[in-house]
Amino acid sequence: LADELGLLVYEEPAIGWIEKSQWMQARCEREVREMILRDRNHPSVVVWGMLNETGNAGYRIKGGAQLIKDELCVLARSLDPSRLIIDDSGGVNATKEPARFMRPYHDVLEPYDDLHVYQRAPVDHEIESYYRHNGDPQTLVFLSEFGFGGMEDLESVIAQYGEDAGKLKDARFLEAMLEAGRKGFEERGLERVFTDFAQFAAATRELQSDAARYQIDALRSNTKLGGYCYTQLADAGHEFCAGMLDRWRRPKPVFKVLADVQKPLRPLIQIPRVNLAPREEVPVTVMLANDERFEGRVDLSLQVVGPTNQVLWKKKRSINVSRGNREIWSGNVSASGSPGTHKFVVRLQAGFKVVAESAVEFMVFERPESADVEIHVLDPAGRWAEACASLAKRTSANAPVHVIPPLANTIRAYPEKDLFSILSAVKGGAVALFFGTPNDWNDLAEQIDPGILATSKDAVGAFLGIYHYAKLHPVFDGLPARGLMRQAYRNTIPARSFKELSDEDICGSYDTSPIAAGNYMVGATDWWGSDILVRRFGLGRLVFTHLRVLECLGSDPVADRLFVNMLKHFSRRALPAADAPALDVKALEWLRRERTDNVRHWKVLGMFPNWGNNGHNQVFPPEQDISFDAVYPGWYKAISWKSWFSRIQDEHLIDLQEALTPVYEYYPRFDWGTAYAYAEFTSERRQSVRLRLAAQDSMKVWLNGNLIHQSVAAPPLGQLDRQTADSFVRQGRNTLLVKVSKMPGEFRFSVNIDSAEKEPVQIKWWR
């Protein structure tokens, strides 16, 4: 099939993480032998892989086929001298051992940087930058797994299986999936958006095509990358939406996209923003992928094409093309004054023949007029109110609409008095818009009213996609709606959704990942989620969303319009509550105790580069000076300090992967990086202390500027390296700086302080 389609293939045998025995070893060797003897005459096969990411997700460590992978590689080499051989694609995730490869006609295994990087769709600028800069500059880099899944046509597949009795078992779980999908589809009234579930699945395949186009263009701009492998050839088993073909080997739309974006000569367009206001300018850079090392003089043609297909701007010049990837043009282009879809088109022409061409779309939106709505913004740090006030009337706490920004990663860090004042107003008839609701909101909701539960769940997606829909609704006036959220929403797409069904369904998500855990028979709530969750509370409404609206105000016209539309829509039902009923004092006291006693405030910064694990010994700016207003160049994006809170419920464990970046993956991050965390506390007296430290990576700790601990660790997946360090705290203000440098895998640490004396330690953490 690959020969016919013109694909290059990476192939692994059907072996896994089995118990080691003489019989099992013989079985593994037989599978490798059969695979290579069967397929070594196919020119499409370019890489033999023995194993895949062993030790990940609870798989057996230092057991089974892992113990014989060297022998399997030697066996593969004896059967085929000419192809690349990989021992463990992605490396041993649990122990952080690197992947190794054998060069053709060599029998020595060499370590290299093998990445598995699954990113969401729509694809934003940070994801593109992540692809462009990933990989150790000093080591061979291969991206052996990437991609974003698009659902196959389940109804068609089931019909095919129905004719094949041998596939009846598969058909049963596919029918269960389809039943769960249809149930949520009907509950949300999505037949008005997609007609039927088959049309919804077709839309997910178009989103898969979008992801492949943007991701591969970014990958081809990465001069460090030796190669990449799209996951995967065809849908099968739990990966029922990952392939470029369905399980019956019928091409999906992404198959044509892959052929187009991987042409040997292709202009690669880099544009930081795809949502513009009328006549707004945006910088553009054009690189050239030149895999066949084309050389010669060509004409470079640049055009901006408007919504009615008219050419709004054009430029043409002669350039000399040399070998390799290089920049061929950079400058600014402008949007027209007309809203709609625009294209920036790049062509290379030799005479009258177009030898290479690519284009990127950008959208032009009218800036919304300020909403004639009075709002109150809960903003104790003064970060959000100004941007909100530019699009509404900011007034006192008696406003009919309250805006609660994403103040912290835990509800326990929210200002309890102000928050309860807002909740009281909602109960009396006001509306509160909660943006970036913390994952532990339900801990507070259960203290107040179980009817306002808002259970957050992951809504990112990877090779098993998660797809977000937008209805034709006042919240989406003037924006793309009645379909899936595509590239126009790349900045505002939510990272999390809600399990509950909204009182008013506006937009939501469909998650195909439960099947990866074997949950074929789960209910619709596990597959579907609400991106805007509306809950009644007393006479008013609470509106929860993870849409990244406030973070993008002023920089993205889509975010501006979403904010104004939400204010207009929900203000119609809002009343200023002059005599708002008081809430339960016990709940208020609970939150006050939690905030005072059980959370700690940190500032976190990252990631700086840590290629080859060398960043841990490199001195980065925080080790010389702490400046919370500074912006530093990270390894793939500009970075600055941000607030983060640890909780006593988690033993004050901080997940730096969650704290530092909106770039997500299906597995723990396959990258390298260095991060810092800073906190302050006061002590009533000078005292000897013992710090209890835990980390999954190399760690350094400075107390009051003195380095008191350093360690190099790489514990297995899910485990922490726990150590102690003795020091002393001084009376008054103390500072704590932690440096953590990660290898591929999880990125967590904790610091707790105990007394080293008879007297208990008396410290108060920075708030």
Side-chain angles (χ1 to χ4, degrees), residues 500-543:
E500 290 80 9
L501 188 64
S502 178
D503 292 348
E504 177 186 3
D505 191 65
I506 301 169
C507 54
S509 64
Y510 180 73
D511 181 359
T512 62
S513 64
I515 195 172
N519 299 329
Y520 306 137
M521 307 300 288
V522 296
T525 56
D526 293 278
W527 297 84
W528 293 90
S530 302
D531 286 348
I532 295 179
L533 177 64
V534 183
R535 308 305 300 266
R536 290 184 178 275
F537 183 52
L539 300 177
R541 286 173 175 80
L542 295 172
V543 181

Side-chain angles (χ1 to χ4, degrees), residues 446-556:
E446 289 172 351
Q447 300 283 331
I448 300 171
D449 181 353
I452 58 172
L453 294 177
T455 309
S456 295
K457 66 174 185 173
D458 177 74
V460 177
F463 72 92
L464 297 173
I466 299 178
Y467 318 103
H468 298 263
Y469 66 85
K471 286 187 171 181
L472 203 60
H473 187 277
V475 165
F476 292 100
D477 278 349
L479 297 172
R482 202 173 182 183
L484 293 184
M485 295 185 188
R486 295 177 67 174
Q487 284 304 119
Y489 294 97
R490 71 177 192 167
N491 295 324
T492 51
I493 200 83
R496 301 187 71 77
S497 192
F498 297 99
K499 288 187 176 182
E500 290 80 9
L501 188 64
S502 178
D503 292 348
E504 177 186 3
D505 191 65
I506 301 169
C507 54
S509 64
Y510 180 73
D511 181 359
T512 62
S513 64
I515 195 172
N519 299 329
Y520 306 137
M521 307 300 288
V522 296
T525 56
D526 293 278
W527 297 84
W528 293 90
S530 302
D531 286 348
I532 295 179
L533 177 64
V534 183
R535 308 305 300 266
R536 290 184 178 275
F537 183 52
L539 300 177
R541 286 173 175 80
L542 295 172
V543 181
F544 303 95
T545 185
H546 289 285
L547 284 162
R548 295 180 291 174
V549 174
L550 299 193
E551 296 92 328
C552 299
L553 290 183
S555 62
D556 186 343

Side-chain angles (χ1 to χ4, degrees), residues 427-440:
K427 200 166 186 180
V431 168
L433 306 179
F434 273 85
F435 292 91
T437 317
N439 293 343
D440 59 357

Side-chain angles (χ1 to χ4, degrees), residues 119-125 127-129 131-132 146 206-221 257-258 261 266 268-271 273-275 341-342 359-363 486-488 490:
Q119 302 291 0
R120 62 173 170 79
V123 178
D124 65 17
H125 181 64
I127 289 175
E128 293 177 291
S129 183
Y131 276 127
R132 290 188 193 112
F146 83 101
E206 292 299 325
L207 190 64
Q208 180 186 36
S209 299
D210 292 345
R213 187 178 293 109
Y214 283 92
Q215 291 176 4
I216 291 176
D217 274 355
L219 286 171
R220 297 187 72 183
S221 299
V257 170
L258 291 171
V261 300
R266 177 172 171 81
L268 308 173
I269 303 169
Q270 300 176 11
I271 181 169
R273 290 181 293 126
V274 297
N275 295 336
T341 303
H342 292 55
V360 65
E361 291 185 349
F362 60 93
M363 299 287 290
R486 295 177 67 174
Q487 284 304 119
R490 71 177 192 167

